[in-house]
Amino acid sequence: MEKIRRIEIIDLFKDSIKETIGQEICVKGWVRTKRGNKSVAFIALNDGSTIKNIQVVADVEKFTEDQLKRITTGACLKVEGLLVESMGKGQSVEIQANTIEIYGEADVEKYPLQKKGHTLEFLREIAHLRPRTNTFSAVFRVRHAMAYAIHKYFNDRGFFYWHSPLITASDCEGAGEMFQVTTLDMENPPRNEEGKIDYTQDFYGKHTSLTVSGQLEGELGAMSLGKIYTFGPTFRAENSNTPRHLSEFWMIEPEMAFFEIEDNMDLAEDFIKYLVQYALDNCQDDLEFLQSMYDKELIERLRFVVDNNFVRLTYTEAIDILSQAKQKFEFPIHWGVDLQSEHERYLVEKHFKSPVILTDYPKEIKAFYMKQNEDGKTVRGMDVLFPLIGEIIGGSQREENMDKLLERMAEVGIEAKDMDWYLDTRRFGSAPHSGFGLGFERLLLFVTGMSNIRDVIPFPRYPKNANY
Ligand code: 4AD
Ligand code: MG
């Protein structure tokens, strides 16, 4: 017998499907809902390829009572039947089932995704099953589309995808928030003469951690291939239980030789706009669903970002604005403080009503590698601030002058001998260069309209949670 062709559900919603009407087809997927009456059952089937379900119409006479009883929400089916035009609204075709094979049942008593309208908090407790919901399948399809668009953007512009190591002996951001990597016996570690743990006996012969950023090795790439980008996981052991922090998150870090801070800002703005436009063009069904469920202004907000220039100003100008603000902040404002999310959001949402790029921060609140300005006080750093999110990008022009860099490292207590490989970029053929890091999940928060970062990554990592 000839095998009946399986069609993915997304293809059933394309115009070209009209040619297949009247033919026998096969669909496979998970039952979202089943309803019906004495003579007919309607099964909404979803295979993950799209937010849309295909309606399977099962004539009660063709199937045994037992068979129909086992078809419940969450069960997985293979359906063969006739593709016909649908009378129901919101769909142009449906399937009149001839045979239904049940690949896997889902016990009504035990399967947790029975009824609709579970809270996001509840779904976070069953993160291994939540991709089966409309919300999370939509979010994760958008996540895929954004990852693809990132590679496309850079590839089309002559950047090379560069792989920085995940295990490293250096702390790029200098914040001391690293997860240690060791194979030493924790119960009984070897000790040196001073009684301290002897890391020379560890796997790498030195103290190592998971990386907080691929930038430092990325700079090596830029100083040879010209324009590179990294896109990989990064790890931060900061004890931040906020809707915007993960301890394992993905970051995109482009690094470009011969780019000054202005070029860096131009690239950051163009890059984000491209990604948002890509989502508008390619994720329409999922964005419309997310808009209808969570955020009525989602698509309007996305369009606004694409259509308007980001406001650019210095940290010092921002401090002036914040000092004059009528709003009372929890963290007081004066020149030199690190901006908190409440300050960033005031600038973006209340004052400018637009994405903002802040530059020229006090050197004390930024990392050692940023290029120092003539004033001796500020560095050529830049943060891109977004509505609802706050900081979405952090970056800078890099200090290319060896002496200035060494001076700054000494001030913050970084041993030059540990960073000799990095300093070689300044020692040999140094060049002006710049780069930035985009937090992938922060971007996804903005694009999907979700409000908790734990809901835009399949298996979130945060303090006290490493399930799955
Ligand atoms: O501002 P950050 O710390 O910058 C760097 O790591 C630089 N080395 C980047 C570079 O210049 N190549 O982090 C960059 C971005 C932030 O703007 C934010 O979007 C995201 O990474 N980010 C986080 N996202 C989720 N959870 C966290 N704990 C994050 N910390 C930073
Ligand atoms: Mg930052």
Side-chain angles (χ1 to χ4, degrees):
M1 205 175 83
E2 205 185 322
K3 201 170 163 217
I4 296 172
R5 184 162 66 105
R6 178 192 165 208
I7 301 188
E8 288 190 34
I9 293 173
I10 191 169
D11 294 327
L12 296 174
F13 289 90
K14 292 182 178 155
D15 280 345
S16 53
I17 198 64
K18 291 212 174 75
E19 293 156 23
T20 312
I21 288 175
Q23 293 178 30
E24 189 98 10
I25 64 158
C26 169
V27 291
K28 300 178 181 186
W30 292 269
V31 176
R32 280 285 204 266
T33 56
K34 188 180 83 175
R35 59 190 175 82
N37 50 42
K38 281 205 189 85
S39 55
V40 64
F42 299 102
I43 303 160
L45 206 64
N46 187 285
D47 65 2
S49 60
T50 163
I51 190 88
K52 294 174 178 160
N53 303 326
I54 186 71
Q55 172 153 288
V56 174
V57 185
D59 223 325
V60 169
E61 281 176 359
K62 282 194 196 157
F63 303 93
T64 67
E65 199 176 318
D66 174 63
Q67 216 177 1
L68 289 173
K69 235 172 78 189
R70 291 164 57 215
I71 299 173
T72 57
T73 296
C76 188
L77 309 183
K78 171 186 175 184
V79 179
E80 289 177 346
L82 199 63
L83 186 72
V84 297
E85 261 179 89
S86 174
M87 299 295 144
K89 64 174 190 305
Q91 61 205 12
S92 62
V93 293
E94 61 189 30
I95 294 165
Q96 269 166 6
N98 289 331
T99 63
I100 298 179
E101 183 182 335
I102 301 173
Y103 281 139
E105 293 174 31
D107 189 331
V108 182
E109 301 297 320
K110 297 189 183 130
Y111 185 61
L113 297 174
Q114 287 303 333
K115 57 177 177 22
K116 289 184 174 179
H118 289 301
T119 65
L120 295 172
E121 287 76 14
F122 170 77
L123 293 171
R124 222 171 281 143
E125 303 288 311
I126 49 163
H128 59 298
L129 290 175
R130 65 182 182 169
R132 299 249 194 118
T133 64
N134 286 335
T135 295
F136 286 92
S137 63
V139 167
F140 297 141
R141 278 188 298 269
V142 174
R143 186 177 168 106
H144 158 79
M146 289 294 89
Y148 173 75
I150 285 161
H151 287 298
K152 179 164 167 53
Y153 178 86
F154 286 123
N155 184 63
D156 288 353
R157 286 157 185 78
F159 285 68
F160 300 103
Y161 183 25
W162 174 265
H163 295 104
S164 286
L166 299 190
I167 298 174
T168 173
S170 45
D171 181 357
C172 175
E173 295 306 301
E177 293 170 334
M178 304 184 82
F179 289 102
Q180 185 178 335
V181 174
T182 181
T183 54
L184 291 179
D185 179 1
M186 302 293 281
E187 303 283 338
N188 187 23
R191 306 248 169 213
N192 59 23
E193 281 157 16
E194 293 164 40
K196 293 198 170 135
I197 294 178
D198 181 9
Y199 285 103
T200 63
Q201 294 189 44
D202 204 346
F203 191 90
Y204 295 106
K206 53 163 87 166
H207 184 265
T208 52
S209 306
L210 295 176
T211 191
V212 296
S213 159
Q215 176 196 324
L216 300 184
E217 296 86 354
E219 287 185 52
L220 275 289
M223 298 304 264
S224 49
L225 303 183
K227 293 188 308 222
I228 62 93
Y229 69 105
T230 71
F231 184 3
T234 48
F235 308 87
R236 296 194 185 180
E238 50 186 338
N239 202 2
S240 304
N241 262 304
T242 82
R244 280 179 299 278
H245 288 87
L246 290 166
S247 55
E248 175 180 308
F249 64 98
W250 288 64
M251 186 157 43
I252 301 97
E253 294 185 275
E255 190 72 32
M256 299 73 61
F258 318 121
F259 270 49
E260 308 210 353
I261 184 88
E262 290 77 16
D263 310 310
N264 205 26
M265 286 192 273
D266 290 345
L267 181 73
E269 183 167 343
D270 186 62
F271 178 45
I272 296 203
K273 286 180 169 168
Y274 174 91
L275 296 177
V276 172
Q277 185 65 54
Y278 189 92
L280 286 167
D281 292 343
N282 294 277
C283 306
Q284 208 183 343
D285 292 342
D286 288 324
L287 292 183
E288 278 170 9
F289 172 80
L290 292 167
Q291 167 161 283
S292 72
M293 292 295 291
Y294 299 102
D295 182 349
K296 300 287 171 270
E297 283 149 23
L298 175 62
I299 290 172
E300 195 184 311
R301 199 176 319 110
L302 298 182
R303 290 226 173 85
F304 183 87
V305 163
V306 173
D307 291 342
N308 289 280
N309 291 334
F310 297 3
V311 174
R312 300 179 184 192
L313 70 158
T314 65
Y315 167 91
T316 304
E317 288 164 335
I319 291 291
D320 283 346
I321 293 170
L322 291 165
S323 319
Q324 285 161 29
K326 295 223 170 59
Q327 182 168 324
K328 282 277 156 286
F329 298 113
E330 188 187 339
F331 295 89
I333 270 295
H334 57 85
W335 201 94
V337 296
D338 205 357
L339 297 184
Q340 303 293 326
S341 152
E342 57 172 343
H343 308 129
E344 297 174 340
R345 292 184 59 178
Y346 176 85
L347 291 170
V348 172
E349 290 162 29
K350 301 242 165 68
H351 190 84
F352 290 110
K353 300 189 171 47
S354 152
V356 166
I357 310 182
L358 283 191
T359 59
D360 302 288
Y361 285 81
K363 65 176 178 188
E364 286 76 17
I365 59 170
K366 289 292 182 190
F368 74 95
Y369 51 71
M370 295 194 182
K371 186 174 171 64
Q372 295 160 46
N373 282 319
E374 306 284 298
D375 63 10
K377 292 194 304 191
T378 58
V379 287
R380 241 167 257 185
M382 53 170 242
D383 279 4
V384 180
L385 312 180
F386 256 48
L388 307 180
I389 313 257
E391 180 189 336
I392 193 165
I393 280 181
S396 75
Q397 184 166 345
R398 317 305 188 190
E399 183 56 79
E400 80 265 25
N401 180 292
M402 181 70 152
D403 294 334
K404 286 188 180 164
L405 186 59
L406 284 172
E407 195 186 315
R408 190 72 195 125
M409 284 169 64
E411 274 171 23
V412 299
I414 300 172
E415 294 272 2
K417 69 169 171 29
D418 295 340
M419 299 293 283
D420 217 41
W421 58 273
Y422 179 70
L423 293 168
D424 269 356
T425 54
R426 278 54 169 184
R427 210 170 265 134
F428 308 118
S430 189
H433 63 291
S434 298
F436 61 81
L438 168 68
F440 189 45
E441 286 77 17
R442 300 244 176 120
L443 169 80
L444 288 170
L445 278 179
F446 183 73
V447 171
T448 61
M450 300 300 282
S451 48
N452 192 316
I453 198 162
R454 297 172 186 179
D455 296 335
V456 295
I457 185 166
F459 304 103
R461 295 287 176 258
Y462 49 90
K464 301 279 177 281
N465 180 74
N467 289 340
Y468 323 108

